[in-house]
Amino acid sequence: MPPPSLEQVRAAIGLELPSLHYSYSQRDAILYALGVGAPADALDTTELRYVYELHPEFQVLPTFAVLFSKGLIRQLMTGRIAGIHYEPMLLLHGEQELVLHRRLPPSATVTSRLRIAEIHDKGSGALIIFSVQSATEAGEKLASARIAVFIRGIGGFGGERGAAVKLPPPARQRDIIHEEATLPTQALLYRLTGDANPLHADPAMAARGGYPAPILHGLCTFGFTARAIIKRCCGSEASRLRSIRARFSQPVFPGESLITEMWSLPGGEIRFQTRSKDRAAIVLSHGQARLAG
C-alpha cells in the first residue's frame, strides 16, 4: 500500500476525532483485572480487592483507564484514519502514557476526546500519536493518555522523523525484581475487555503481521507491569500510581513469564523495564512511573 502524501499527513495533524463514550460497571473492572493477571495468587487479599466486588476495599486498577479509548482500536482496525490508508495487520502499538487525575470509581460513564497530536515519518513506517482526555458525565477529569501507534509500510512521505523520548534505567543494580507468568490463554482472556484485534487470536492473521503465533496485547503486558509496580512499590495501594508510560519494544507470546525490573528514584519516580524470561527479550522499555507519597 503506498504511503500517504505529505499534504494528507499535514491535514491530519491536529485533527479532532469523534468523541468516544464508554460506560463501565464493577464487572468490567473485574474482567480487566483478570485479563491482566490479577490475582497472581487467589488467596492474596491485596489483589482480591481488584476482582471481588464484595471486598471491603474494592479498587479499580488504574490502568483500567486505557479502556476509555478502546473505540479507537475499532477505528484503527478499519485500515483508515484521517484519510490515511494502511494494512491493519501491520499496525503496532508503539508507546503508551497514562496519567491518572483521581481514583477511578467502581462504575462510571466516560467521555474521551481524541486528537491526532503528531505524525512522524520513520522511513519504514509512520508513527501516529493520539492525545486523549477522559472525564465523567459530571465533567470530573479522570485520566489523560498519549497513544503512539506505528504503522509499517507507509513511511517515506517526507515528514519529520520526530525525537524519541528516552527514559533508560539507571546504570546501577536493580532495586526490585518481580516475576510473573502469563497464561497460554491470556490474550483470549484480555480480548474480552474489548480489544478484538484478530492479531491476538487468529494464527492466520498473526502470520499476515509476520508473527509465528498470535501475540499478547501490549496493553496486557502494560497492565501486568503496572500490577508489579503497585504490589512492590506502592504497598498494593493502587491509587498511589499517578502515571505510567512505556515503549512496546518487542511482542510477548501468551504463556511467557514476565520479569519487571524496577529502580527507585527521588520524588516518587520509578524507572522500569519488563523482560520475557523465555526469550531474554526486553518487551517494555523506557518505562517510567510516578507515585503519590
Side-chain angles (χ1 to χ4, degrees):
M1 189 169 293
S5 68
L6 185 57
E7 290 71 24
Q8 283 179 302
V9 170
R10 286 174 173 166
I13 296 173
L15 188 67
E16 293 277 349
L17 301 178
S19 295
L20 300 174
H21 304 282
Y22 178 58
S23 294
Y24 71 90
S25 66
Q26 233 176 357
R27 184 179 185 276
D28 297 306
I30 289 170
L31 186 59
Y32 170 80
L34 292 169
V36 297
D41 177 355
L43 299 180
D44 180 354
T45 57
T46 62
E47 286 213 312
L48 191 61
R49 71 179 74 176
Y50 308 135
V51 298
Y52 180 44
E53 70 281 0
L54 298 181
H55 195 289
E57 297 178 359
F58 180 83
Q59 294 184 23
V60 179
L61 280 169
T63 48
F64 176 75
V66 300
L67 298 187
F68 296 164
S69 55
K70 69 177 183 177
L72 176 61
I73 298 168
R74 289 191 292 272
Q75 187 169 350
L76 289 170
M77 285 299 99
T78 66
R80 179 175 180 173
I81 191 82
I84 297 172
H85 296 261
Y86 51 88
E87 164 56 61
M89 292 303 105
L90 297 181
L91 181 149
L92 296 170
H93 196 157
E95 298 182 15
Q96 177 78 36
E97 179 179 4
L98 180 67
V99 178
L100 285 308
H101 301 295
R102 64 183 67 241
R103 184 169 176 163
L104 298 181
S107 62
T109 295
V110 182
T111 296
S112 295
R113 296 176 56 194
L114 280 77
R115 181 175 62 87
I116 297 178
E118 303 169 37
I119 302 179
H120 299 304
D121 187 348
K122 297 297 186 180
S124 62
L127 185 72
I128 304 179
I129 301 175
F130 300 88
S131 171
V132 186
Q133 302 293 330
S134 300
T136 66
E137 288 179 300
E140 293 181 323
K141 198 172 180 181
L142 290 178
S144 302
R146 281 174 67 85
I147 302 166
V149 298
F150 181 70
I151 307 175
R152 292 173 285 168
I154 61 166
F157 51 82
E160 296 292 329
R161 183 171 180 85
V165 175
K166 295 182 179 181
L167 292 165
R172 59 175 171 82
Q173 192 71 348
R174 303 154 295 187
D175 295 314
I176 301 169
I177 302 174
H178 182 88
E179 180 179 336
E180 190 171 332
T182 65
L183 297 170
T185 54
Q186 200 74 55
L188 298 175
L189 180 58
Y190 187 83
R191 287 183 89 245
L192 298 179
T193 64
D195 188 337
N197 185 342
L199 181 67
H200 306 293
D202 188 333
M205 289 296 188
R208 276 177 59 183
Y211 300 104
I215 61 175
L216 191 61
H217 306 69
L219 287 178
C220 184
T221 305
F222 193 72
F224 264 83
T225 297
R227 283 182 43 244
I229 293 170
I230 291 167
K231 187 176 186 65
R232 303 298 299 273
C233 302
C234 300
S236 294
E237 178 52 56
S239 62
R240 286 190 59 204
L241 183 66
R242 306 308 302 166
S243 69
I244 181 170
R245 66 183 298 166
R247 184 175 303 163
F248 302 104
S249 301
Q250 291 197 44
V252 172
F253 293 94
E256 292 184 335
S257 291
L258 300 175
I259 297 175
T260 300
E261 304 167 329
M262 295 162 256
W263 290 261
S264 296
L265 298 176
E269 181 183 356
I270 303 293
R271 294 283 178 93
F272 65 87
Q273 63 184 18
T274 300
R275 300 176 179 270
S276 163
K277 180 180 180 181
D278 305 67
R279 291 176 291 120
I282 296 176
V283 296
L284 289 187
S285 64
H286 299 278
Q288 179 193 56
R290 293 193 179 276
L291 313 179

